[in-house]
Amino acid sequence: MKIIGIGKNYVNDKSEISGLKNDTQLIFTKPDSSLVTDNKDVVFPSITNQLIYEVELVVKIGKKGKDIALDDANSYISEIAIGIDYTAKDVLTASREKKQPWALAKGFDGASPISNFKPISDFSDLNNINFDLVINGEQKQVGNTDFIIYNFAEIISFVSTFMTLNPGDMIFTGTPASGAGQTFKGDHLQASIEGELLLDFKMI
């Protein structure tokens, strides 16, 4: 099972979307050891002093696919969850300065807390899914998939031209354009889809 992420994939103003589509999606991968499931608390990673949260919808692949046609791509989604894509910003900055990959800044243990998945049949319109993140009782991020630059189908089709997608693979589909910020020890994070609380943990 592999975890795929996409960066910079939401806008605040939908009029910006067409101008930002240039057929070059910002894709990265994360190891499965970065996952934290079942709403377990997350241990603050010792490798960073600048831990940045980004709430994201996560799609799970339900069948094997390679060079998937855009019109058929959504049929490869079996389930949807919500997760946090954590970045060790100081590690990322150091990597960028040396023109090194993002692996260490994105793939550390605990970098991918994720909720339980909901079946794709629960979602009548993939282009209109509301989700949000609350930290310590304060709403920090609000998103809707109508503001996405590359939608789920476009991500799946693009990625599958480079690598075969297998059942169980997960794709973090991007964070809302506003509200990402720093996480601290003791923070209580709660993420919801369509008002249903699915991810609920503390940073310890």
Side-chain angles (χ1 to χ4, degrees):
M1 184 269 289
K2 53 187 171 287
I3 303 169
I4 297 161
I6 180 167
K8 298 180 180 179
N9 198 33
Y10 275 80
V11 295
N12 288 318
D13 184 340
K14 287 188 288 184
S15 66
E16 302 171 10
I17 292 175
S18 60
L20 292 171
K21 283 193 174 184
N22 56 14
D23 297 324
T24 303
Q25 299 181 33
L26 178 57
I27 301 294
F28 56 91
T29 59
K30 306 178 78 161
D32 60 3
S33 55
S34 70
L35 288 173
V36 181
T37 59
D38 300 321
N39 284 327
K40 293 176 183 173
D41 291 337
V42 178
V43 177
F44 194 98
S46 61
I47 51 90
T48 183
N49 293 309
Q50 192 178 13
L51 186 65
I52 304 300
Y53 64 80
E54 296 175 302
V55 70
E56 309 197 9
L57 293 177
V58 183
V59 299
K60 182 185 285 187
I61 300 300
K63 57 184 179 180
K64 186 175 182 177
K66 170 67 176 171
D67 294 321
I68 299 169
L70 182 61
D71 290 345
D72 194 35
N74 280 338
S75 72
Y76 284 76
I77 303 172
S78 61
E79 299 170 278
I80 295 178
I82 193 164
I84 306 292
D85 172 26
Y86 271 125
T87 304
K89 185 67 178 296
D90 44 2
V91 176
L92 180 62
T93 299
S95 296
R96 282 174 167 166
E97 289 174 352
K98 298 175 183 178
K99 297 183 179 180
Q100 295 176 341
W102 293 12
L104 299 180
K106 288 282 195 179
F108 53 88
D109 290 354
S112 310
I114 191 171
S115 73
N116 291 330
F117 281 84
K118 295 175 67 68
I120 190 69
S121 58
D122 284 3
F123 301 92
S124 59
D125 184 359
L126 297 183
N127 297 313
N128 184 25
I129 301 175
N130 294 292
F131 60 105
D132 73 287
L133 173 66
V134 172
I135 302 179
N136 302 326
E138 181 180 352
Q139 191 172 64
K140 294 292 187 179
Q141 288 189 279
V142 178
N144 181 284
T145 50
D146 196 28
F147 289 81
I148 204 167
I149 298 172
Y150 294 101
N151 62 33
F152 298 163
E154 290 167 327
I155 298 169
I156 290 168
S157 179
F158 177 78
V159 170
S160 73
T161 65
F162 293 88
M163 63 185 81
T164 298
L165 293 173
N166 291 310
D169 287 350
M170 302 177 188
I171 303 176
F172 280 70
T173 57
T175 196
S178 301
Q182 193 164 351
T183 291
F184 301 93
K185 279 188 179 181
D187 280 351
H188 181 196
L189 292 92
Q190 298 173 299
S192 303
I193 301 178
E194 296 294 351
E196 180 182 356
L197 179 62
L198 295 173
L199 184 63
D200 189 353
F201 68 94
K202 290 184 179 179
M203 181 62 65
I204 58 175

